[in-house]
């Protein structure tokens, strides 16, 4: 029988040499209650056949292997509605591997420095072209196999508004000059925040990892947003997959550009990487600039009108459906988390939590 997802994670957090920070320990305590009666919930009733269904509340903690998909889907749908239906560039800002160890010890500082560096490089493009462009920046800390690889993905609109509020297509992106700006800005910021040693800076200058990789996506940026959504909310692998649990290791799979890659990690390595990829509390890992920022909402509306008549898909309002007759169900009671005893009156309708994975005490 395939172990349930936190039945995998919890024992690994208790391995010798693994120490949870206080915020992570508290988060795992909340994960144990995710979508269980202790978190409270809502009771629905079918008006046709009378079937009752209980939906327990999520914990909404970063890194939770139970409720993470909800947040991924919500961010994807929200961002797909925000970006314009035009060609987008997908840019990847990376830093030398010498900074990986620094990131492990100073996550917020490295992440913030890289955001500023990417912002400065994008500002150069806007200044040179005279266009107000739109960009979505997402920080990622992982590579294949949950390896450590701090970098930023950028979804950049393929055009913008000029000083006369006219839409102009972006002709080219000077990636080489942007790499220089990224390097100078990042090193300046990281040194200001951490006072990094001269040797580290010298080693980074010899490296060739300040690369900006670029791809073009014609007429839309939705496929890039869909890709980036998969690592939102602190879970960087598909927790719905079947994990192969061996005596000392764990085997899992990842999809990458149409190929399936299999990775085997020691159990200690697996949990160390999983925990390290959970963003620190209150860390902002997604940022919006230019046309896609809130301050330019009026400019974004103007850009939409210039691009042409496009019918925006209305936000999907999810309705609970009866598992027996598929009729839309009606909400009959909301039960707070500190009143879980109220679930008892529903008897057999209480059932198990409505999710594929449950957390059990190891």
């Amino acid at each position: 029988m395939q172990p349930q997802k936190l039945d995998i994670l919890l024992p690994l957090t208790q391995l010798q040499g693994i120490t949870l920070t206080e915020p992570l320990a508290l988060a795992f305590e909340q994960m144990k209650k995710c979508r269980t009666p202790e978190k409270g919930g809502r009771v629905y009733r079918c008006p046709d056949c009378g079937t009752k269904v209980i939906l327990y509340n999520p914990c909404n903690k970063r890194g939770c292997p139970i409720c993470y998909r909800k947040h991924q889907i919500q961010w994807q749908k929200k961002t797909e509605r925000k970006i314009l239906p035009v060609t987008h560039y997908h840019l990847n800002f990376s830093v030398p591997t010498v900074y990986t160890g620094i990131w492990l010890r100073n996550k917020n500082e490295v992440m913030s420095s890289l955001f500023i560096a990417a912002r400065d490089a994008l500002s150069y493009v806007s200044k040179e072209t005279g266009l107000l462009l739109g960009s979505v920046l997402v920080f990622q800390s992982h590579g294949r196999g949950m390896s450590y690889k701090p970098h930023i993905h950028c979804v950049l609109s393929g055009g913008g508004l000029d000083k006369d509020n006219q839409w102009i297509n972006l002709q080219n992106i000077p990636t080489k000059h942007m790499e220089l700006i990224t390097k100078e800005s990042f090193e300046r910021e990281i040194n200001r925040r951490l006072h990094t040693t001269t040797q580290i800076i010298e080693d980074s200058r010899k490296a060739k990892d300040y690369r900006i990789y670029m791809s073009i996506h014609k007429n839309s940026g939705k496929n890039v947003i869909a890709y980036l959504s998969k690592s939102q909310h602190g879970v960087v692998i598909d927790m719905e997959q079947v994990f192969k649990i061996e005596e000392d290791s764990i085997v899992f799979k990842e999809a990458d550009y149409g190929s399936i890659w299999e990775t085997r990690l020691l159990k200690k390595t697996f949990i160390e990487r999983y925990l390290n990829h959970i963003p620190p509390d209150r860390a902002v890992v997604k940022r919006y600039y230019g046309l896609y920022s809130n301050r330019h909402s009026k400019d974004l509306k103007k850009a939409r009108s210039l691009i042409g008549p496009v019918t925006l898909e209305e936000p999907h309002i999810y309705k609970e459906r009866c598992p027996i007759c598929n009729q839309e169900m009606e909400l009959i009671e909301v039960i707070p988390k500190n009143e879980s005893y109220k679930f008892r009156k529903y008897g057999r309708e209480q059932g198990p939590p409505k999710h594929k994975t449950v957390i059990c005490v190891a």
Side-chain angles (χ1 to χ4, degrees):
M1 180 177 177
Q2 167 65 7
Q4 295 167 327
K5 305 314 172 192
L6 224 73
D7 289 336
I8 297 173
L9 296 182
L10 279 177
L12 297 182
T13 63
Q14 300 169 11
L15 290 174
Q16 185 176 2
I18 300 297
T19 303
L20 294 180
T21 63
E22 184 176 352
L24 275 179
L26 292 173
F28 268 84
E29 286 302 311
Q30 291 299 309
M31 291 179 200
K32 293 176 186 177
K33 304 172 185 177
C34 185
R35 298 198 190 278
T36 65
E38 291 182 78
K39 296 296 290 182
R42 294 153 291 148
V43 184
Y44 289 86
R45 179 184 178 277
C46 177
D48 282 4
C49 66
T51 298
K52 296 186 183 72
V53 173
I54 295 177
L55 300 183
Y56 301 115
N57 293 330
C59 69
N60 293 325
K61 291 295 181 182
R62 282 175 167 174
C64 178
I66 291 172
C67 62
Y68 74 103
R69 277 297 293 149
K70 178 192 77 169
H71 299 281
Q72 292 179 348
I73 294 170
Q74 285 177 340
W75 180 80
Q76 178 182 344
K77 296 300 181 184
K78 174 186 174 182
T79 309
E80 284 179 347
R81 282 182 55 79
K82 177 183 281 287
I83 65 174
L84 295 165
V86 298
T87 294
H88 279 76
Y89 293 90
H90 179 195
L91 306 174
N92 188 316
F93 293 82
S94 61
V95 295
T97 54
V98 68
Y99 286 106
T100 299
I102 298 176
W103 166 78
L104 282 168
R105 298 187 298 273
N106 307 275
K107 293 180 180 177
N108 276 325
E109 288 78 5
V110 171
M111 181 176 65
S112 296
S113 298
L114 188 51
F115 266 120
I116 289 173
R119 181 202 64 191
D120 289 348
L122 293 171
S123 295
Y124 167 78
V125 179
S126 290
K127 183 178 180 180
E128 288 297 303
T129 60
L131 298 178
L132 177 62
L133 305 168
S135 57
V136 181
L137 274 63
V138 177
F139 178 83
Q140 285 189 347
S141 58
H142 68 286
R144 188 181 301 159
M146 292 200 296
S147 58
Y148 301 137
K149 186 181 178 183
H151 59 285
I152 280 180
H153 289 274
C154 170
V155 185
L156 178 67
S157 64
L161 296 178
D162 65 9
K163 59 183 177 60
D164 297 319
N165 265 348
Q166 296 300 307
W167 179 265
I168 305 294
N169 289 325
L170 187 61
Q171 298 301 316
N172 61 75
I173 298 182
T175 53
K176 291 300 180 184
H177 198 81
M178 290 173 69
E179 287 174 358
L180 293 175
I181 294 173
T182 302
K183 179 177 182 178
E184 292 172 359
S185 180
F186 177 78
E187 290 179 355
R188 180 177 63 250
E189 279 297 314
I190 199 68
N191 186 53
R192 182 180 69 83
R193 294 166 185 266
L194 297 178
H195 305 291
T196 49
T197 66
T198 303
Q199 185 59 50
I200 289 177
I201 294 177
E202 287 300 318
D203 290 343
S204 71
R205 285 174 177 166
K206 296 175 184 177
K208 299 181 180 180
D209 292 345
Y210 282 104
R211 296 285 178 85
I212 297 178
Y213 299 95
M214 183 183 74
S215 59
I216 302 175
H217 299 264
K218 294 290 185 181
N219 304 320
S220 176
K222 288 186 176 181
N223 50 350
V224 187
I225 298 300
Y227 166 74
L228 295 178
S229 71
K230 295 178 181 179
S231 61
Q232 296 303 303
H233 215 66
V235 179
V236 299
I237 57 172
D238 176 15
M239 293 301 292
E240 299 302 324
Q241 68 178 284
V242 176
F243 291 86
K244 184 178 179 182
I245 313 298
E246 300 178 346
E247 182 177 356
D248 297 318
S249 60
I250 293 180
V251 181
F252 59 93
K253 295 180 179 180
E254 295 169 292
D256 186 17
Y257 295 103
S259 300
I260 302 296
W261 301 86
E262 186 175 270
T263 301
R264 174 181 279 100
L265 296 177
L266 293 175
K267 290 181 176 179
K268 185 172 183 291
T269 303
F270 179 93
I271 193 61
E272 283 177 339
R273 291 186 181 182
Y274 188 96
L275 295 174
N276 273 314
H277 289 308
I278 299 176
D281 283 353
R282 295 180 293 279
V284 180
V285 297
K286 304 176 288 289
R287 305 190 186 188
Y288 304 82
Y289 295 115
L291 277 175
Y292 296 152
S293 65
N294 290 334
R295 63 177 293 196
H296 287 289
S297 57
K298 291 183 179 179
D299 295 313
L300 180 59
K301 187 175 180 179
K302 173 66 176 178
R304 288 193 193 281
S305 69
L306 293 172
I307 289 170
V310 177
T311 302
L312 285 177
E313 179 184 348
E314 290 298 319
H316 177 64
I317 300 175
Y318 182 77
K319 301 289 186 182
E320 291 296 340
R321 296 282 176 178
C322 176
I324 305 300
C325 64
N326 201 41
Q327 176 67 25
E328 183 179 322
M329 304 187 80
E330 57 185 11
L331 178 67
I332 61 174
E333 186 173 5
V334 176
I335 299 178
K337 63 180 180 180
N338 56 347
E339 298 179 12
S340 60
Y341 64 89
K342 292 184 178 180
F343 286 118
R344 297 172 190 165
K345 64 184 176 184
Y346 292 102
R348 65 182 180 82
E349 285 88 1
Q350 179 175 335
K354 187 188 176 183
H355 52 69
K356 295 180 180 179
T357 59
V358 285
I359 297 178
C360 301
V361 177

